[in-house]
């Protein structure tokens, strides 16, 4: 391949495609991600460290004319800590493609643009899943034992899986049943994934992208449910926990009552003095809300939010339906208490002076975009969750 062609490609990736990709990743990864404040101010070494203020000042009170004044006591602080997670998006282009398009500008641009479009689409999808998921990287679990077969039934959001993905199936970091095997087909109607070769797995094992276990960003599920988050154990620190309303009756989800939603909003306001500014659920729960509103002939409100999104709203709080949200759940979040801590924008790995690198033993070249980041929540108590909502 001529050096001039590779140089042309690298120049295009740096000066033309990168400035276009970053806004698409920041604004196209869902309403929550678009509205997040993104900053590097909490970076200390390779971690994020941030102070959490809680409680009330103790030096407040009423006294008699000659009584001692209240004893000074400042609000409490706790030190929170999070890892800088490495998010990466790689693309490859073959030497043959570069050679056959080097004299055809339109064909060259078409090939590179297609690669960059795919990078953005898949990057958006990854970020939306991580935003509402868990740092374990869990996309689903195994429904039942499988012995020497290609088809595995999945519990969870089957839309998280696509042909061509490489996945691990494991119990923990030391017990892996499937190591980086490719999914060749997905049956979305029956919630199954098919591998190109036989596998043996056990019920309840975790399914995640190959190599991702325990390395993805902190997600909304962590913030709502994890016992320990940002190094703080909630067992003895209830101030660091969201409010959870369990509406299951005998294990069965119930029809949504919008008064539940108002109760959640009111409770957050009483507890923190803040009103949540996002409601997050999957599309089935969103339809349950619409069904309840239609039953009472209520007009549906809408609200414009960052990123060019127009969402339905309740009490002026926008409702975003996220396909990777767990079933039968509605979360209420104060997004101003959330920050995407990151070292910087997405950028090419080019510290050695080159964006494109030859792939060993292949007639192809690859480039990688990276971002070092994690989702930080300064006040989890400003959030609430309703679980047990019947979907429509």
């Amino acid at each position: 391949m001529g050096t001039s062609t590779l140089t042309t490609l690298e120049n295009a990736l740096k000066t033309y495609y990168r400035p276009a990709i970053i806004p698409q990743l920041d604004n196209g990864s869902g309403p929550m991600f678009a509205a997040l404040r993104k900053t590097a101010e909490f970076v200390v070494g390779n971690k994020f460290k941030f102070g959490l203020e809680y409680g009330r000042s103790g030096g407040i009170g009423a006294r008699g004319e000659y009584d001692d004044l209240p004893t000074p006591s400042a609000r409490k602080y706790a030190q929170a800590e999070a890892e800088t997670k490495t998010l990466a998006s790689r693309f490859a282009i073959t030497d043959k493609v570069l050679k056959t398009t080097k004299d055809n500008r339109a064909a060259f641009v078409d090939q590179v643009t297609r690669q960059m479009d795919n990078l953005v689409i898949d990057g958006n999808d990854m970020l939306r899943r991580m935003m509402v998921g868990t740092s374990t990287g869990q996309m689903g679990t195994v429904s039942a034992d499988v012995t020497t077969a290609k088809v595995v039934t999945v519990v969870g959001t089957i839309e998280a899986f696509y042909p061509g993905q490489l996945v691990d199936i494991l119990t923990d970091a030391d017990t892996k049943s499937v190591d980086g095997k490719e999914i060749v087909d997905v049956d979305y109607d029956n919630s199954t994934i098919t591998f190109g070769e036989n596998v043996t797995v056990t019920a309840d094992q975790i399914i995640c992208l190959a190599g991702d276990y325990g390395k993805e960003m902190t997600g909304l599920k962590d913030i709502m449910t994890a016992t320990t988050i940002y190094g703080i154990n909630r067992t003895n620190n209830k101030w660091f926990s969201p409010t959870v309303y369990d509406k299951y009756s005998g294990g069965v989800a119930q029809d949504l009552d919008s008064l539940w939603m108002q109760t959640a909003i009111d409770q957050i306001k009483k507890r923190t003095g803040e009103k949540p500014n996002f409601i997050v659920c999957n599309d089935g729960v969103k339809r349950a809300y619409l069904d309840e509103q239609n039953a009472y002939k209520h007009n549906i409100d809408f609200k414009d939010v960052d990123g060019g999104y127009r969402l339905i709203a309740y009490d002026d709080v926008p409702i975003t339906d996220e396909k990777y949200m767990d079933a039968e759940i509605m979360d209420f979040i104060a997004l101003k208490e959330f920050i995407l801590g990151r070292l910087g924008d997405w950028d090419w790995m080019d510290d050695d002076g080159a964006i494109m690198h030859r792939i060993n033993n292949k007639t192809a070249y690859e480039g990688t975009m990276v971002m070092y980041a994690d989702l930080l929540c300064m006040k989890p108590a400003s959030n609430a969750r309703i679980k047990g909502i019947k979907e429509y």
Side-chain angles (χ1 to χ4, degrees):
M1 185 193 71
T3 302
S4 60
T5 307
L6 188 59
T7 301
T8 299
L9 174 58
E10 291 192 332
N11 288 337
L13 292 175
K14 181 177 284 291
T15 62
Y16 178 75
Y17 289 102
R18 178 186 176 275
I21 286 172
I22 292 173
Q24 292 180 72
L25 289 171
D26 279 351
N27 297 322
S29 299
M32 288 192 301
F33 197 87
L36 279 174
R37 182 163 74 92
K38 303 167 180 73
T39 180
E41 66 182 285
F42 299 108
V43 176
V44 179
N46 65 346
K47 297 181 183 294
F48 298 106
K49 295 187 178 182
F50 48 104
L52 303 170
E53 182 182 83
Y54 66 99
R56 296 286 191 221
S57 300
I60 305 296
R63 293 294 188 271
E65 185 175 1
Y66 294 103
D67 292 345
D68 291 339
L69 294 173
T71 302
S73 176
R75 288 192 177 190
K76 305 298 182 184
Y77 287 86
Q79 178 75 18
E81 185 176 288
E83 298 286 339
T84 51
K85 307 297 175 58
T86 300
L87 309 182
S89 186
R90 298 171 68 188
F91 83 99
I93 193 164
T94 66
D95 184 57
K96 181 185 290 187
V97 167
L98 289 172
K99 275 188 165 59
T100 56
T101 61
K102 68 178 181 178
D103 296 324
N104 186 331
R105 180 179 176 83
F108 177 81
V109 170
D110 284 347
Q111 287 287 343
V112 177
T113 299
R114 186 178 299 112
Q115 291 272 10
M116 295 303 100
D117 287 346
N118 290 338
L119 184 151
V120 168
I121 291 169
D122 294 341
N124 289 153
D125 192 73
M126 175 186 71
L127 290 171
R128 292 192 83 150
R129 180 177 60 77
M130 288 188 185
M131 275 288 293
V132 300
T134 169
S135 59
T136 63
Q138 176 177 319
M139 299 191 299
T141 59
V142 176
S143 174
D145 293 357
V146 174
T147 303
T148 318
K150 296 179 180 180
V151 179
V152 175
T153 302
V154 174
V155 176
T157 306
I158 190 63
E159 287 78 14
F161 299 92
Y162 301 92
Q165 281 179 331
L166 302 179
V167 300
D168 295 336
I169 300 181
L170 43 80
T171 302
D172 52 47
D174 300 317
T175 311
K176 189 179 291 187
S177 298
V178 171
D179 189 357
K181 292 191 184 300
E182 182 177 354
I183 297 173
V184 298
D185 195 16
V186 180
D187 186 337
Y188 295 103
D189 293 326
N190 295 298
S191 294
T192 64
I193 57 177
T194 301
F195 293 95
E197 55 187 280
N198 289 334
V199 298
T200 296
V201 296
T202 57
D204 300 325
Q205 283 192 301
I206 294 169
I207 310 172
C208 62
L209 291 179
D212 272 28
Y213 180 71
K215 300 172 184 175
E216 293 194 353
M217 286 201 307
T218 300
L220 193 55
K221 188 172 182 178
D222 292 315
I223 292 165
M224 290 293 185
T225 66
T227 301
T228 299
I229 185 170
Y230 307 132
I232 297 174
N233 189 297
R234 286 166 159 164
T235 303
N236 299 315
N237 294 281
K238 301 299 185 185
W239 57 270
F240 203 53
S241 297
T243 302
V244 178
Y245 301 92
D246 189 342
K247 298 300 180 179
Y248 286 106
S249 179
V252 178
Q254 303 298 300
D255 287 332
L256 175 66
D257 185 336
S258 56
L259 287 178
W260 301 349
M261 301 169 66
Q262 192 62 56
T263 299
I265 291 172
D266 292 344
Q267 176 63 16
I268 291 172
K269 289 164 66 177
K270 286 193 296 185
R271 188 173 177 184
T272 67
E274 301 174 0
K275 182 178 179 179
N277 60 343
F278 261 97
I279 298 172
V280 190
C281 58
N282 69 8
D283 55 359
V285 172
K286 183 186 76 171
R287 288 191 295 270
Y289 169 73
L290 293 173
D291 180 74
E292 194 251 11
Q293 295 293 291
N294 288 333
Y296 292 100
K297 308 301 182 184
H298 291 163
N299 292 326
I300 303 299
D301 294 329
F302 290 85
K303 188 175 180 67
D304 295 322
V305 298
D306 290 343
Y309 297 95
R310 183 170 177 78
L311 306 175
I312 62 171
Y314 172 80
D315 193 22
D316 203 40
V317 182
I319 301 173
T320 175
D321 60 305
E322 297 290 336
K323 69 176 182 178
Y324 296 123
M325 274 289 289
D326 285 345
E328 303 176 345
I329 285 172
M330 181 177 278
D331 286 341
F332 299 73
I333 64 174
L335 202 61
K336 68 179 181 180
E337 301 293 348
F338 286 73
I339 291 172
L340 184 72
R342 62 183 182 184
L343 300 185
D345 291 334
W346 288 92
D347 205 353
W348 296 110
M349 287 184 60
D350 61 350
D351 284 349
D352 61 356
I355 293 175
M356 301 300 297
H357 303 271
R358 183 181 170 189
I359 302 174
N360 286 339
N361 299 318
K362 304 289 183 182
T363 56
Y365 296 81
E366 66 177 1
T368 304
M369 289 197 81
V370 293
M371 179 174 70
Y372 304 99
D374 199 16
L375 181 64
L376 314 177
C377 181
M378 304 303 180
K379 192 182 292 183
S382 62
N383 308 309
R385 164 169 286 196
I386 301 173
K387 60 182 183 179
I389 301 172
K390 180 180 176 181
E391 296 188 13
Y392 283 82

